[in-house]
Amino acid sequence: MMIELSERMRALVQPHLVDAEPYDPMFSPTRINLSANENTYGIPAAVRAHIDEALAQATLNRYPDAMSNELRDEIAAWHGVRREQVCVCNGGDEGIFNLLLAFGGAGRTVLTCPPDFSEYAQFAQLLQTSVATVFRDPETMLPDGPALVEAARAANLAIVTSPNNPTGDLMPLDLVAALCDACPGLVMVDEAYMKFAEPGASALALLDEHPNLVVLRTFSKAFGEAGVRCGYIIAAPDVIDVYAAVRQIYSVNVLSQAAALVALRERAAFDEDIATIKRERGRVYTGIEQLLAGTAAGARVWPSSGNFLLVRLPGCASRIRTRLRDEYSILVRDFSAAPGLMDCLRITIGTPAENDEVLTALGALVKEELA
Ligand SMILES: *Cc1c(COP(=O)(O)O)cnc(C)c1O
């Protein structure tokens, strides 16, 4: 549903904002919500108890530590970097916004590789930054490496995603390195879903050799803290200085810092659920592949290194999404109107029971709609 700004406000806002849309995802309450790539297992009970203790002890009448230094140190120790290379953000979103705020702007261009995370283009628009795109191959959904590198030479900034949301593929590290070499400005690798990938895929390994690399992480996905609003970037210390200069000083509140710190200290407790999600991803992938076999031409599911799968259901994606919601109370994400994602749905990997329900419901609907 598109909502427009009022006539009165269109006359008052900055000219580049007249077509900005008020954003409200309007989540329908459903029994099973697999629409936002959250960790549907929740936080392990023992960790949750420790978070509750930390929250109970948090000092609320004082401002938070502006730079979240305790959390920064824990993040730095985990990734083998220095405190000076870490900036904690109010969700990964703020890390993206502040990148564009500081390094984008009028007359500058950010390179992206769609279909990707829609907020890159949305934030770029808010910050008057032009967006240059090199679309993925429509069939494999993989990036066109040489074209990306070429485009990076002419861009002020590049953002790539690994694993990519919503296509699930990893950005090869040699391509990330080539982008860093080609781009005269910063290259952000958004690793919101990296905990679901196999080890060795993170661009963090390239930081030492590429001082223009910025890696983004979040507590919202594998760590089950989407409601906490905490993420971070890792980059060269002078990049962090820029973030520290442009960010809203107290954007990461006391409660978020406390909840993220406990989750990080007790990160091993999440490993079992993450392993289950990865296993389930394989099972659901195979299940969907089987139920699509011999149906419409073009029906398919893509392999994924994230906690979600992209599925193409020619001619009926939107209808199947609506029927999943209304008849089965299962919510998935409809991307069928997004550029490069015609007929596509994105389904988050849930618990084994949730995934069983998705496979059963999808099996029935595909028989009716796609046969
Ligand atoms: C979820 C997500 C983020 C960050 O989300 P936050 O909740 O703001 O931390 C960043 N990038 C991608 C691709 C995502 O899917």
Side-chain angles (χ1 to χ4, degrees):
M1 198 71 61
M2 190 161 138
I3 307 165
E4 284 193 352
L5 301 183
S6 71
E7 211 53 47
R8 190 167 73 98
M9 288 301 124
R10 289 169 72 91
L12 293 179
V13 294
Q14 294 191 54
H16 71 280
L17 298 178
V18 292
D19 291 322
E21 286 175 43
Y23 182 72
D24 178 351
M26 292 189 285
F27 280 129
S28 328
T30 43
R31 216 163 34 87
I32 297 179
N33 183 348
L34 300 174
S35 71
N37 294 346
E38 294 143 339
N39 180 338
T40 71
Y41 296 62
I43 295 170
V47 181
R48 178 60 202 244
H50 294 151
I51 289 174
D52 290 346
E53 283 166 27
L55 297 182
Q57 284 163 22
T59 306
L60 298 185
N61 64 317
R62 300 291 182 186
Y63 284 101
D65 173 0
M67 285 303 283
S68 310
N69 280 317
E70 225 185 330
L71 184 52
R72 248 178 138 190
D73 286 342
E74 192 73 26
I75 292 165
W78 177 30
H79 293 301
V81 299
R82 288 176 292 133
R83 170 198 276 199
E84 293 72 26
Q85 292 176 272
V86 180
C87 182
V88 178
C89 312
N90 182 323
D93 288 359
E94 192 195 38
I96 300 163
F97 189 90
N98 284 346
L99 181 85
L100 290 161
L101 174 67
F103 300 100
R108 305 269 185 97
T109 299
V110 58
L111 172 66
T112 64
C113 184
D116 57 10
F117 194 38
S118 58
E119 304 210 343
Y120 309 147
Q122 199 216 324
F123 292 163
Q125 195 222 333
L126 293 179
L127 294 162
Q128 293 180 274
T129 312
S130 303
V131 181
T133 55
V134 173
F135 269 80
R136 289 154 181 277
D137 181 282
E139 201 44 54
T140 65
M141 291 293 181
L142 297 177
D144 179 342
L148 259 185
V149 171
E150 201 44 49
R153 292 186 207 289
N156 300 99
L157 196 59
I159 306 179
V160 293
T161 326
S162 185
N164 185 45
N165 174 12
T167 60
D169 56 293
L170 291 164
M171 188 62 54
L173 291 186
D174 54 353
L175 179 51
V176 174
L179 287 171
C180 289
D181 289 339
C183 186
L186 299 184
V187 175
M188 173 176 273
V189 181
D190 180 345
E191 297 190 349
Y193 300 97
M194 190 50 81
K195 287 277 282 178
F196 299 108
E198 296 310 311
S202 172
L204 285 172
L206 303 175
L207 266 178
D208 285 344
E209 281 167 43
H210 298 278
N212 61 338
L213 175 64
V214 180
V215 176
L216 180 80
R217 295 283 185 104
T218 177
F219 288 93
S220 294
K221 307 290 162 49
F223 285 117
E225 291 194 336
V228 170
R229 310 307 307 131
C230 195
Y232 56 94
I233 62 145
I234 299 182
D238 58 347
V239 175
I240 302 301
D241 287 342
V242 176
Y243 267 81
V246 305
R247 61 186 291 271
Q248 299 197 25
I249 304 170
Y250 299 120
S251 69
V252 188
N253 71 67
V254 167
L255 301 173
S256 296
Q257 290 187 34
L261 185 61
V262 175
L264 194 56
R265 285 193 174 141
E266 303 184 20
R267 57 188 172 273
F270 292 83
D271 288 350
E272 193 182 325
D273 288 342
I274 292 170
T276 306
I277 290 168
K278 289 164 70 171
R279 232 180 11 253
E280 283 288 298
R281 173 179 71 204
R283 182 175 76 90
V284 176
Y285 175 88
T286 307
I288 293 176
E289 219 178 25
Q290 284 168 356
L291 65 87
L292 292 180
T295 61
R300 67 166 293 179
V301 53
W302 281 268
S304 171
S305 295
N307 64 336
F308 52 85
L309 292 168
L310 187 69
V311 183
R312 189 166 62 198
L313 305 164
C316 60
S318 225
R319 226 183 112 67
I320 286 188
R321 184 261 183 186
T322 305
R323 291 191 62 187
L324 276 173
R325 184 191 64 195
D326 298 344
E327 296 170 31
Y328 296 88
S329 198
I330 298 173
L331 196 63
V332 302
R333 183 71 187 268
D334 184 4
F335 276 114
S336 57
L341 293 173
M342 195 165 88
D343 295 323
C344 288
L345 301 180
R346 188 194 66 198
I347 304 174
T348 304
I349 302 300
T351 61
E354 289 172 331
N355 301 332
D356 282 343
E357 292 215 34
V358 166
L359 286 172
T360 304
L362 207 54
L365 292 175
V366 160
K367 271 210 184 76
E368 290 172 35
E369 300 284 343
L370 202 64

